[in-house]
């Protein structure tokens, strides 16, 4: 049975302070022996697993499949769930340029539009939703200095909510098909309800404690929605078409001169 453990998986159970409470090494799975010939076909199947606990190796009845595969599957991959309907303003900062947009009654307005340009309404559908259903691909090594992720030369995306909460997202360098990403939240009361303000402030603190301390890797597609420039949102204003004057047509009873 020892050979079943040689290339096993070490599982440690720790307390909140990191002290190991128990450990075991998971080995190979035990395969059932087929009895007789089944008319439905099929063969043996795993019905247990070899486990080294302490100095001995035992066979347990559970295959312990939960410890197999990619550990990332054990993580909650959702970073943000910011309701797009609650967003009242967004700001993009990229390459020294800042673009500010606000929304009122479902209509977006871009600050600083010239007389001969207008906001391209076909490009505004995703302004408020970049943080609505955002998942990570992976988590960067927390031991790496933040300066290595390229946030200083990346882009910043900020969303302001009607309730006074603000989320600030930073997009850094590329890593394969992904981009480095960080996000944090803040709160500035807009109402006088002390209970509601305390709840919103606690929600922001909980978010920063859980999410704000990590550097994530997100898809380039998600990163692009937070890295817009002014040229991506503005188009030349279409001049109204001038109606051509109608030519005088001869009346039906009017005789044409030969």
């Amino acid at each position: 049975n020892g050979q079943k453990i040689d290339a096993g998986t070490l599982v440690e159970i720790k307390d909140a302070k990191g002290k190991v409470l128990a450990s075991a090494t998971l080995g190979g799975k035990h395969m059932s022996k087929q009895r007789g010939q089944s008319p439905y076909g099929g063969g043996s199947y795993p019905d247990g697993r070899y486990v080294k606990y302490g100095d001995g190796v035992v066979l347990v009845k559970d295959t312990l499949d939960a410890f197999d595969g990619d550990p990332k599957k054990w993580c909650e991959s959702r970073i943000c769930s910011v309701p797009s309907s609650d967003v009242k303003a967004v700001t993009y900062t990229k390459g020294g340029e800042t673009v500010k947009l606000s929304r009122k009654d479902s209509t977006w307005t871009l600050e600083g539009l010239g007389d001969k340009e207008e906001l391209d309404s076909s490009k505004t559908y995703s302004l408020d939703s970049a943080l609505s259903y955002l998942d990570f691909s992976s988590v960067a090594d927390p031991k790496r200095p933040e300066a290595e992720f390229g946030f200083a030369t990346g882009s910043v995306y900020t969303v302001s909510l009607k309730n006074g909460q603000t989320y600030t997202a930073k997009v850094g360098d590329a890593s394969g098909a992904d981009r480095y990403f960080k996000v944090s939240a803040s709160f500035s009361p807009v109402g006088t309800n002390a209970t509601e303000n305390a709840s919103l402030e606690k929600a922001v603190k909980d978010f920063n404690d859980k999410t704000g301390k990590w550097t994530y890797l997100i898809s380039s597609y998600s990163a692009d929605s937070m890295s817009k420039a002014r040229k991506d949102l503005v188009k030349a204003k279409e001049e109204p078409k001038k109606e051509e004057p109608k030519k005088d047509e001869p009346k039906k009873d009017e005789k044409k001169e030969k």
Side-chain angles (χ1 to χ4, degrees):
N1 290 350
Q3 293 180 353
K4 300 281 186 178
I5 302 296
D6 291 344
T9 300
L10 176 63
V11 177
E12 294 181 335
I13 300 175
K14 300 180 180 181
D15 62 14
K17 296 182 179 179
K19 180 182 177 181
V20 177
L21 302 176
S23 64
T25 301
L26 310 185
K29 295 177 181 178
H30 179 271
M31 304 300 292
S32 68
K33 294 181 180 179
Q34 184 178 5
R35 296 180 180 179
Q37 185 65 34
S38 170
Y40 303 103
S44 60
Y45 59 90
D47 64 354
R49 191 158 191 169
Y50 293 97
V51 177
K52 182 179 180 181
Y53 185 78
D55 296 328
V57 176
V58 297
L59 176 61
V60 298
K61 293 183 178 180
D62 195 321
T63 56
L64 303 174
D65 292 333
F67 296 101
D68 295 331
D70 190 350
K72 294 177 185 176
K73 295 180 179 179
W74 305 343
C75 300
E76 180 185 355
S77 61
R78 180 60 46 86
I79 303 174
C80 295
S81 299
V82 178
S84 60
S85 58
D86 292 347
V87 175
K88 69 174 185 178
V90 300
T91 300
Y92 297 91
T93 301
K94 182 180 180 181
E97 176 189 65
T98 297
V99 183
K100 296 182 179 181
L101 302 103
S102 58
R103 181 170 60 183
K104 184 178 181 181
D105 298 331
S106 72
T107 300
W108 285 100
T109 302
L110 189 147
E111 184 180 295
L113 276 177
D115 294 336
K116 295 184 178 181
E117 57 185 7
E118 62 184 356
L119 183 63
D120 189 345
S121 59
S122 68
K123 305 291 181 61
T124 61
Y125 64 91
S126 63
L127 296 183
D128 55 359
S129 60
L131 299 180
S132 295
Y133 303 99
L134 182 64
D135 294 327
F136 66 77
S137 305
S138 185
V139 179
D141 185 350
K143 295 180 181 179
R144 289 182 58 186
E146 187 173 312
E148 295 182 1
F149 300 124
F151 294 124
T153 56
S155 56
V156 180
Y157 170 72
T158 304
V159 293
S160 300
L161 308 189
K162 299 173 185 176
N163 61 11
Q165 290 179 333
T166 297
Y167 290 82
T168 302
K170 298 179 180 180
V171 178
D173 291 341
S175 177
D178 297 326
R179 299 281 294 277
Y180 290 111
F181 174 84
K182 282 185 73 69
V183 62
S184 61
S186 60
F187 174 64
S188 180
V190 295
T192 57
N193 187 316
T195 301
E196 183 178 352
N197 288 338
S199 176
L200 291 169
E201 190 168 3
K202 182 180 184 303
V204 163
K205 183 181 183 303
D206 291 344
F207 179 85
N208 288 332
D209 289 344
K210 177 185 177 182
T211 306
K213 63 183 178 180
W214 301 105
T215 295
Y216 299 97
L217 285 161
I218 63 172
S219 70
S220 294
Y221 175 81
S222 296
D224 288 344
S225 66
M226 291 178 262
S227 306
K228 296 183 183 295
R230 195 175 188 279
K231 63 180 178 60
D232 300 323
L233 301 168
V234 174
K235 67 178 182 178
K237 183 179 290 186
E238 296 181 6
E239 296 292 338
K241 294 182 179 180
K242 296 181 180 180
E243 293 186 4
E244 295 181 1
K246 295 182 179 180
K247 295 181 179 180
D248 293 334
E249 296 181 359
K251 296 179 180 180
K252 291 183 179 180
D253 56 350
E254 184 178 344
K255 296 181 178 180
K256 294 182 181 180
E257 295 183 0
K258 293 185 179 179

